[in-house]
Amino acid sequence: MRQIALIMFVVLIWATGCATSPRQATVKPPPAISATASVSAEQGPFQPDANLYLCPNATITNALAHDSRNRVLNFNPVVLVDGKVVITPVPVNNACMTSGFGHRSGRDHNGLDLKSSPPGTIYSAAPGIIREAKYSSGFGNYVVIDHGQGVFTRYGHMAHLARGVQSGQKIGFGQPLGVMGQTGNATGIHVHFEILTGNYNTPKRSFGLTPRNPLSFPPYTGQASGS
Ligand SMILES: [Zn+2]
């Protein structure tokens, strides 16, 4: 069932990607999160954008190839992580990237920083089970989702978490997790998004996993070896 749902959303992306004209300068407001909404294991309303743009004045230390409109070249809106799990590497709409994965100011930056104006809704990047939904001094309000096969995602600095987002909750692709914010150690409103792999069952939990560059994976072409 998971495979079918994923294939459906891939088809949706391709359909919208073909129909979409070049990105407008105006930014649509994010869909409101209903006060009564609660996340579920079903597929949610999110559809990934076909393109990713660098923000004006972005500090992308590991320079990404981009065109004159700051559109990242060779961007894949749906990728296959280690041949096993289908994920969108940008789980927000109408966002630009302020910072990429890699070395930054003498430290490693373990994810992508994405922002939109007004602050946008953040969605689950693939189906899975929520393992962590809490506050830390570094990530602020953050969520970690276990996608199976040793693949995880983290979403940090959220203003607040969506209703029903709690540890142990099963969640489908594209369900709202919360809204971009500046909680924890953040210099501006954005989401910090990580793709992580490894063994979760160590004392360090998600902090013992290996961060991977979300933009380093090959496009999903309809074949996943996992089940
Ligand atoms: Zn970050």
Side-chain angles (χ1 to χ4, degrees):
M1 281 306 288
R2 178 180 291 186
Q3 292 296 336
I4 292 167
L6 286 167
I7 288 163
M8 283 175 63
F9 91 70
V10 170
V11 169
L12 278 171
I13 293 153
W14 281 344
T16 51
C18 294
T20 305
S21 56
R23 186 173 188 261
Q24 305 292 306
T26 52
V27 176
K28 283 185 296 184
I33 294 179
S34 158
T36 57
S38 185
V39 297
S40 79
E42 302 301 311
Q43 184 166 335
F46 174 67
Q47 291 181 33
D49 289 342
N51 292 303
L52 172 64
Y53 293 81
L54 305 181
C55 299
N57 308 316
T59 52
I60 311 291
T61 49
N62 46 346
L64 277 168
H66 57 87
D67 68 14
S68 61
R69 294 168 58 237
N70 275 345
R71 184 172 62 101
V72 174
L73 301 179
N74 304 313
F75 171 66
N76 301 305
V78 182
V79 299
L80 187 57
V81 175
D82 294 349
K84 294 185 278 198
V85 175
V86 181
I87 281 186
T88 178
V90 176
V92 291
N93 288 128
N94 300 307
C96 61
M97 190 166 85
T98 58
S99 188
F101 182 95
H103 222 54
R104 183 177 72 174
S105 308
R107 294 178 54 195
D108 283 329
H109 185 234
N110 292 332
L112 306 182
D113 288 346
L114 303 157
K115 74 168 186 183
S116 67
S117 182
T121 301
I122 300 151
Y123 297 92
S124 48
I129 296 171
I130 298 171
R131 294 293 182 208
E132 299 170 23
K134 52 190 178 183
Y135 181 90
S136 82
S137 57
F139 290 118
N141 295 318
Y142 80 97
V143 170
V144 171
I145 301 177
D146 179 350
H147 303 293
Q149 317 246 17
V151 178
F152 302 79
T153 49
R154 188 199 315 274
Y155 316 73
H157 308 310
M158 284 187 266
H160 61 266
L161 304 185
R163 188 161 178 259
V165 172
Q166 54 194 27
S167 181
Q169 168 73 43
K170 248 181 130 174
I171 190 165
F173 166 78
Q175 291 278 347
L177 299 175
V179 174
M180 289 177 196
Q182 197 177 339
T183 56
N185 183 12
T187 55
I189 294 173
H190 71 286
V191 60
H192 170 94
F193 175 67
E194 297 179 354
I195 295 178
L196 305 152
T197 55
N199 178 13
Y200 185 82
N201 295 314
T202 73
K204 294 171 84 173
R205 299 295 180 180
S206 66
F207 296 92
L209 299 170
T210 302
R212 309 282 296 276
N213 184 350
L215 302 183
S216 69
F217 300 104
Y220 174 63
T221 56
Q223 297 285 322
S225 61
S227 57

